[in-house]
Amino acid sequence: MTATKPPSSRPPSPSSPSPTWRSLAAPPAARRLFLQLLALLPAAAVPMQLRAAEAVSEAALSQWIHEAERVLRGRSSAAVMKMHIERSDYQRSYDLMVLSDDRSEPGKVLIRMLGPALWRGNATLKVGERISFYDPRSRRITVMGSSMLADNWMGSHFSNDDLMRETDLARHYGYELLQKTRDKDELGRPVERALLRLSPKHAAPVAWGKVEYQLQLLEGGKGASVLPLQVDYFRRADDTQAQRSLRYSQLKPLEGRVLPTRLTMKALDKPDEYTRIDYVRLKFDSDFGADDFSERALR
């Protein structure tokens, strides 16, 4: 009589185990070897999910946003720029002077229109939470209510909030790192690109339900360590399509640093429309006096 071989109590192995299954089933020593080998691979060969999962504290993400948002402002600055507005029913161009001072509270911003002649002398002033407009034709100063923050500034695709910086992305939002990849910037310099999702904090006075912020982290060399690349604004947190997009480009030397000199805001539901800002001159660490941001300075 032939003996029957008892069935094996070992669970069947997969017929074609995947690398993921092998790494999980391997003994501890083999898993350590696998991770050591993985660390030697070029960054491009490492799956995106692994690089995106790198531990970065919320404080570090907040600092990235803080640096990116102030890369063209510094603690204080004076800038001359050109704004061009392209809409389906009109086109406009302005020459602007922008002064900002964040060295102490309250923060201050003054935007004065230098041209063309029709708009010369119009000015917008922000001191703390108070925002005022000056119209030289009527010689009147109007104080803006909070309901006007979302209004377009002088017919552009930038809002009053964008230019006067009432909303502070580093303070009013929480952060989540979605992706982190190695790449090169438009000058061919090695950078790490980070994609962050910003969600408004409870009761924060913000207009956007979600913001996706792309940053470039420089890997050595001179200049700022963090540069903004693109900001996409979503009306609601569950929206999959952004309502508008801000792109930073044209990296050039400014004040001894390589910085983006062009900002382009696009309304994504109107692909042929945009507003472009080009920096002509920029000076950091300007020494302003108290009168430079007074209502007298508006006139």
Side-chain angles (χ1 to χ4, degrees), residues 24-292:
L24 293 175
R31 284 201 299 271
R32 285 196 298 271
L33 178 61
F34 171 77
L35 293 174
Q36 290 169 1
L37 293 174
L38 184 64
L40 298 176
L41 290 174
V46 181
M48 176 70 71
Q49 293 85 346
L50 294 180
R51 296 201 302 278
E54 294 176 7
V56 180
S57 69
E58 184 162 335
L61 299 180
S62 176
Q63 183 62 28
W64 290 356
I65 296 293
H66 179 85
E67 290 186 32
E69 287 288 281
R70 285 159 179 75
V71 74
L72 290 169
R73 296 168 60 194
R75 296 181 65 244
S76 64
S77 63
V80 175
M81 56 186 69
K82 293 182 177 292
M83 174 183 282
H84 178 72
I85 304 168
E86 192 74 28
R87 288 191 178 272
S88 58
D89 50 346
Y90 63 84
Q91 295 79 40
R92 291 180 190 168
S93 294
Y94 303 132
D95 295 318
L96 308 174
M97 178 186 70
V98 180
L99 311 180
S100 67
D101 189 354
D102 294 319
R103 292 174 297 176
S104 61
E105 293 293 339
K108 297 171 279 291
V109 180
L110 173 64
I111 302 176
R112 183 179 299 282
M113 302 185 72
L114 305 177
L118 176 64
W119 305 102
R120 186 177 300 136
N122 279 271
T124 309
L125 172 68
K126 176 180 180 290
V127 179
E129 296 183 355
R130 180 183 174 90
I131 301 177
S132 307
F133 294 103
Y134 175 65
D135 183 350
R137 289 172 290 185
S138 65
R139 298 185 178 181
R140 295 182 57 184
I141 294 177
T142 304
V143 177
M144 185 183 75
S146 58
S147 62
M148 298 173 63
L149 280 172
D151 291 352
N152 293 332
W153 187 86
M154 297 299 294
S156 73
H157 294 84
F158 288 89
S159 68
N160 292 312
D161 191 18
D162 295 325
L163 297 181
M164 307 313 294
R165 300 292 183 175
E166 180 66 17
T167 298
D168 186 343
L169 294 180
R171 181 164 58 93
H172 291 137
Y173 285 81
Y175 322 95
E176 178 187 357
L177 178 62
L178 299 181
Q179 293 179 1
K180 198 157 177 267
T181 58
R182 294 187 184 276
D183 207 336
K184 292 185 177 181
D185 66 11
E186 63 183 51
L187 299 180
R189 300 179 302 175
V191 296
E192 280 192 317
R193 288 191 177 172
L195 174 62
L196 279 65
R197 177 189 294 142
L198 280 62
S199 302
K201 294 181 179 178
H202 178 67
V206 298
W208 304 103
K210 179 175 64 177
V211 177
E212 292 188 354
Y213 208 124
Q214 294 185 50
L215 302 168
Q216 297 188 124
L217 311 176
L218 299 185
E219 299 182 340
K222 296 182 179 179
S225 59
V226 180
L227 294 177
L229 179 61
Q230 184 166 313
V231 187
D232 295 322
Y233 300 86
F234 300 77
R235 182 61 66 187
R236 291 177 295 274
D238 57 352
D239 285 351
T240 57
Q241 176 64 47
Q243 185 166 333
R244 61 177 194 158
S245 182
L246 173 61
R247 183 78 177 183
Y248 293 80
S249 61
Q250 299 288 315
L251 294 174
K252 296 178 183 178
L254 277 177
E255 278 285 280
R257 303 163 64 185
V258 176
L259 300 172
T261 61
R262 172 170 290 180
L263 285 67
T264 306
M265 182 74 81
K266 289 187 176 183
L268 298 182
D269 59 340
K270 299 176 181 179
D272 296 329
E273 292 194 5
Y274 63 88
T275 295
R276 184 178 64 233
I277 293 177
D278 288 295
Y279 278 75
V280 179
R281 292 194 300 275
L282 176 63
K283 177 177 173 54
F284 290 119
D285 301 321
S286 301
D287 189 15
F288 298 115
D291 288 343
D292 291 322

